Amino acid sequence: GPLLVDPAVALGALVFAAASAGQHAAHAHLASLRRPGGGHALPTASPLFRRVACPHYALEVLIYASFAVSTRGRDAGVLALLLWVATNLSVSAHSQLCWYRERFPPGELPPGWCRLVPGLW
C-alpha cells in the first residue's frame, strides 16, 4: 500500500529532531559557563565544542537543512532561507572565533578549532 509518510519528510523530521536536541545541549552548556560577576570560560569541556567554536550555529543550519530535505529541495523559498541562515551564521561563527582568539591565550584554544565544520570552516 501507499506510504503513510513521505520518506523525505520522515528523514527531515529526524534531522530536525537530532539537530534541535544537539542545539539545546550546546545552549545549555554555554549557559552553564556563566560566571557570577561576569567573565567567560571556554566551552571546550563539552564534546560538541571540542572541534568547533560554534556547534550551536552549525546545528541551526542543520535545522534549516532539514526543511530542505523535507521538501526534497523543490521549494525555492526554503532553499533561499537555508542559504541566508548558513551565510549569516558562518559570518557570526567567524566573529565568535575571533572573539575567543582575542580573549584567551592561544594555548587554551583547542588546536585546529574551526568555526562551524571540523577541518573545514
Side-chain angles (χ1 to χ4, degrees):
L3 294 173
L4 295 177
V5 177
D6 181 330
V9 172
L11 178 60
L14 288 173
V15 172
F16 177 86
S20 294
Q23 187 183 49
H24 174 76
H27 283 143
H29 180 65
L30 287 171
S32 76
L33 299 175
R34 291 185 183 152
R35 295 179 179 166
H40 300 277
L42 281 172
T44 53
S46 167
L48 289 169
F49 288 87
R50 291 209 179 113
R51 300 194 57 211
V52 293
C54 300
H56 50 307
Y57 293 168
L59 291 161
E60 181 78 10
V61 172
L62 276 178
I63 288 169
Y64 283 89
S66 75
F67 303 148
V69 169
S70 292
T71 62
R72 296 178 182 263
R74 295 180 185 150
D75 186 315
V78 169
L79 294 175
L81 184 60
L82 172 59
L83 179 62
W84 167 254
V85 168
T87 301
N88 183 48
L89 292 178
S90 292
V91 171
S92 296
H94 176 74
S95 295
Q96 184 63 45
L97 184 59
C98 289
W99 184 89
Y100 283 127
R101 287 177 176 159
E102 289 170 4
R103 283 166 181 76
F104 294 94
E108 289 185 30
L109 299 177
W113 214 25
C114 293
R115 296 156 188 85
L116 289 176
V117 182
L120 184 63
W121 173 253

